[in-house]
Amino acid sequence: MEVSHVSARPKAYFTLWIMLNRKLATVDRLAKWGMLHNKACVLCKSADESIEHIFIECHYARKVWERLLYWIDNHSRCPMTWSQFIQWSIQHGKGKTTSAQLFKSTLAEGVYELWNERNKRLFEDKSSLEDKVVKEIAYVTIARASNSIKSVINQRKL
Ligand SMILES: [Zn+2]
């Protein structure tokens, strides 16, 4: 019997780990080092960038999370604050069930792709719509899932 499993790429888990430890070089942190450019969030351009903003408050990020939660059939609401985000990550990611694995993988790939999108906009002047980012996260997740999980999530609408 094949064991059901899905896991994010190591670089995605690494980015998630750095993010959860609040060590990503967001502009509010760069400002402390005197390395300041424009402080506005490049994803929505309507608020200052901070780690809470870019991954939790930003409407670009919220759209991405809402679609991913729907896709993995997780009925929780996307958290609104940093402490809720941490609690939510632990609550839905613990254990070895398929839904916990899917949640963890999607969370890691989601954080990775949002950070990647932010960096592309900031340093390469390239941008993608939420839809493309969501599809990329789903694509990577499906590619790394065992056949039993693949057959279930492949049929779901994004
Ligand atoms: Zn924003």
Side-chain angles (χ1 to χ4, degrees), residues 41-48 53-54 57-61:
C41 168
V42 288
L43 298 180
C44 69
K45 299 173 186 79
S46 61
D48 282 356
H53 176 79
I54 207 162
E57 297 160 1
C58 184
H59 62 75
Y60 186 102

Side-chain angles (χ1 to χ4, degrees), residues 1-6 96 98 101 144-150:
M1 258 272 296
E2 188 209 36
V3 181
S4 301
H5 68 88
V6 58
K96 297 210 184 298
T98 300
Q101 290 184 53
R144 296 180 58 86
S146 62
N147 289 334
S148 53
I149 296 182
K150 247 181 210 146

